[in-house]
Amino acid sequence: MDALIQRRRRMSHVMVPRQVRQRQAATAMSCFRSKADTRQIDRLSNLPDELLVTILSFLPTPTAACTSVLCRRFRHLWEASPSVQVIYRNPDHLDKFVALADRTILHRNPSFSLLSLHLELYYFDLSLHNSYMPSLLAKAASLGLCHLTIVGYVHLQPILPIIFSIKTLKSLALPNVAEDHHHVFPSKFAFTSLTSLSLGFSSIDLDPPNFNQLLSELRSLEELQLDICSISSLIISSQTIRKLKLEISGSELHTLSLFLPSLESLNLRSRELFPSLHIHGEVPSLKSAVIGLDELHAQDVTAVTKLLNFISHLEELRLLLRESTDEKDPIHILLEPGKDVPNFPNLKHLYVRLCFHNHNFEDIIMMLHNCPVLESLKLVHKKPKITHQARGRKREDWCSKLPRRRNVNFRNLHLGTNKRKFKKLLGRN
């Protein structure tokens, strides 16, 4: 009897875990089936067409066209996207370019508005530019085009009158203006509501009177971007521009005049500076600036100091300076020796990236003494590049003089944070 009872007890201990495992397996199987049923639900098809078109508008047009194979509903849905991007990179794919442009623009349903058009043409085809492109842009204009970008090798003469006649245009980007267009801007144009303009000129003498006449007529223009090469004088005058970006190549610029009373942000990039550069104008509302200057020589420090004096009333400044790779010995590129140091009475945030050898370190310390309301400071040491023309450099002369040769980053100086370390840095001069 006792043996039977003990056997039943052993069997109960064995059976209970087995039953538990069976229950767990049944529960897991039911959860898997419920998840599988959830995966089979096509939530994308439950979205309305308007929302699907909006999603497709964030994709490049060739990628959005691939969705036409998903189902019958998506076959023509991508064609209604308000944003179209057509690229012509391979000369053997001209037929594909024309077919895509026909389907998305020329044969577009008039009920589908076209808000943004991005064209990239990297191969010049005379028939394409003289006949096809004008008809393409004319159709885009009739669809309420607001944003237009044309990149690459473009013959502007046949299409420029059409572009300047689009009344609904709000932003225009022409990064590559051909060299033979000395009179790019017509006397009359229709896009008076333009808010953003981006132009790129290569080896062309920009006509300031004609250009400023264009700016004076654009009474809603807020953003202007210019990429200019080999220009001797640049005069920009506007009452409405708030954001300006200038990229200047070449050392032929003698005069830079900015008469922009509403300018708040300035981004100036230049590979070379003319030593006797004359800078003047009025930018009383300027709050932030990014100054990037490369290939600086010893004689360029005068132009750098003039530029700092011109923008000394701002609140935020980023300086990205680099000496020429031909310089063998360290030089001053921030402040002109023996001259008055610019005052920055409103400067709150300062970021400087350059080679902090002994000369530049002394200059930045002198500059910091004239920043009474500084709240944040970041100094980044950028090692110079060594070329065959600068052989013989002494590495110790170009080493960083920052504390422990590390980058300096101070925040909340106005609250007393890192105040002691900051004063110690100022006392290193």
Side-chain angles (χ1 to χ4, degrees):
M1 188 68 177
D2 295 337
L4 181 61
I5 295 175
Q6 292 180 359
R7 183 180 179 184
R8 287 182 178 180
R9 288 179 179 178
R10 287 197 300 269
M11 291 297 296
S12 62
H13 287 295
V14 174
M15 292 300 295
V16 170
R18 184 181 300 175
Q19 293 175 357
V20 172
R21 287 196 297 269
Q22 290 178 353
R23 293 176 183 176
Q24 292 176 349
T27 304
M29 184 61 67
S30 61
C31 294
F32 176 78
R33 290 174 180 175
S34 62
K35 291 181 179 179
D37 296 339
T38 305
R39 293 195 199 101
Q40 294 177 0
I41 299 176
D42 186 4
R43 300 186 182 276
L44 190 63
S45 299
N46 294 333
L47 299 178
D49 290 349
E50 294 78 7
L51 183 56
L52 291 176
V53 170
T54 302
I55 296 174
L56 292 176
S57 66
F58 292 100
L59 299 176
T61 302
T63 305
C66 296
T67 61
S68 61
V69 301
L70 294 178
C71 62
R72 184 176 299 177
R73 182 188 179 190
F74 280 84
R75 185 172 299 175
H76 302 284
L77 195 62
W78 65 276
E79 299 175 4
S81 173
S83 177
V84 173
Q85 180 185 19
V86 188
I87 302 176
Y88 176 42
R89 291 180 178 174
N90 194 331
D92 298 332
H93 295 168
L94 179 60
D95 296 338
K96 295 182 179 180
F97 169 80
V98 174
L100 185 60
D102 287 346
R103 194 166 178 179
T104 56
I105 302 175
L106 285 181
H107 302 158
R108 190 183 186 89
N109 190 334
S111 60
F112 298 149
S113 60
L114 180 62
L115 301 181
S116 176
L117 176 59
H118 184 98
L119 298 175
E120 294 187 20
L121 308 174
Y122 295 103
Y123 287 91
F124 184 81
D125 187 282
L126 188 60
S127 61
L128 181 69
H129 288 76
N130 291 340
S131 59
Y132 186 75
M133 288 293 295
S135 60
L136 196 70
L137 291 175
K139 178 63 175 181
S142 64
L143 297 172
L145 184 63
C146 295
H147 310 282
L148 175 61
T149 301
I150 302 179
V151 183
Y153 305 105
V154 183
H155 189 47
L156 290 178
Q157 187 174 0
I159 65 176
L160 205 59
I162 301 176
I163 295 177
F164 279 75
S165 64
I166 304 177
K167 296 181 180 180
T168 57
L169 208 59
K170 294 184 179 180
S171 68
L172 174 63
L174 301 174
N176 304 98
V177 177
E179 298 180 4
D180 58 341
H181 297 289
H182 292 277
H183 301 284
V184 175
F185 312 110
S187 57
K188 295 181 180 180
F189 44 89
F191 50 73
T192 55
S193 60
L194 197 72
T195 59
S196 177
L197 177 62
S198 177
L199 300 173
F201 299 92
S202 176
S203 299
I204 183 173
D205 188 12
L206 185 65
D207 183 13
N210 197 11
F211 178 68
N212 285 300
Q213 181 183 358
L214 171 68
L215 296 182
S216 63
E217 296 293 335
L218 298 176
R219 297 181 177 88
S220 301
L221 188 65
E222 296 183 357
E223 297 184 11
L224 176 63
Q225 179 176 346
L226 296 177
D227 188 353
I228 305 175
C229 178
S230 301
I231 185 172
S232 59
S233 177
L234 180 60
I235 303 175
I236 303 177
S237 177
S238 174
Q239 298 292 325
T240 59
I241 293 179
R242 296 184 178 182
K243 187 176 181 180
L244 175 63
K245 183 177 182 180
L246 295 176
E247 294 188 8
I248 304 174
S249 302
S251 58
E252 291 83 3
L253 184 62
H254 294 256
T255 304
L256 177 61
S257 303
L258 302 178
F259 296 93
L260 306 169
S262 302
L263 186 66
E264 298 179 358
S265 176
L266 172 64
N267 191 331
L268 176 61
R269 307 274 180 161
S270 179
R271 183 165 180 80
E272 295 181 8
L273 280 180
F274 191 74
S276 59
L277 176 64
H278 182 58
I279 306 174
H280 69 283
E282 296 179 359
V283 286
S285 302
L286 186 64
K287 295 181 180 180
S288 64
V290 178
I291 308 298
L293 306 176
D294 294 338
E295 294 297 323
L296 293 175
H297 297 273
Q299 63 270 20
D300 297 331
V301 67
T302 303
V304 176
T305 305
K306 290 180 181 179
L307 182 59
L308 292 178
N309 279 303
F310 180 69
I311 61 174
S312 60
H313 58 282
L314 45 61
E315 298 180 0
E316 182 177 355
L317 176 60
R318 292 176 63 91
L319 288 176
L320 314 174
L321 309 180
R322 187 171 61 180
E323 292 99 337
S324 173
T325 55
D326 300 337
E327 294 292 340
K328 182 179 179 180
D329 299 320
I331 59 175
H332 292 272
I333 62 172
L334 185 60
L335 298 177
E336 188 174 6
K339 301 293 183 179
D340 294 336
V341 181
N343 291 315
F344 297 90
N346 305 318
L347 187 61
K348 296 181 180 179
H349 309 283
L350 177 60
Y351 176 95
V352 182
R353 189 189 70 188
L354 50 75
C355 180
F356 282 99
H357 50 71
N358 190 54
H359 294 323
N360 289 335
F361 182 74
E362 292 177 355
D363 292 344
I364 194 64
I365 296 299
M366 295 173 62
M367 182 177 171
L368 291 176
H369 280 286
N370 289 359
C371 303
V373 295
L374 196 63
E375 296 181 3
S376 66
L377 170 67
K378 187 170 184 179
L379 306 178
V380 178
H381 175 68
K382 182 69 173 179
K383 295 182 180 179
K385 296 181 180 180
I386 299 179
T387 62
H388 66 281
Q389 297 180 357
R391 289 179 179 176
R393 284 183 175 179
K394 295 182 179 180
R395 180 173 297 181
E396 59 272 13
D397 294 340
W398 296 85
C399 290
S400 173
K401 301 301 179 182
L402 295 176
R404 299 181 181 180
R405 296 185 179 180
R406 298 179 179 178
N407 299 335
V408 173
N409 190 3
F410 294 140
R411 298 180 181 179
N412 301 324
L413 293 174
H414 61 298
L415 300 178
T417 307
N418 296 322
K419 198 71 174 181
R420 182 178 300 177
K421 294 182 180 179
F422 180 68
K423 290 182 177 179
K424 185 178 179 180
L425 176 66
L426 297 181
R428 289 171 62 92
N429 187 14

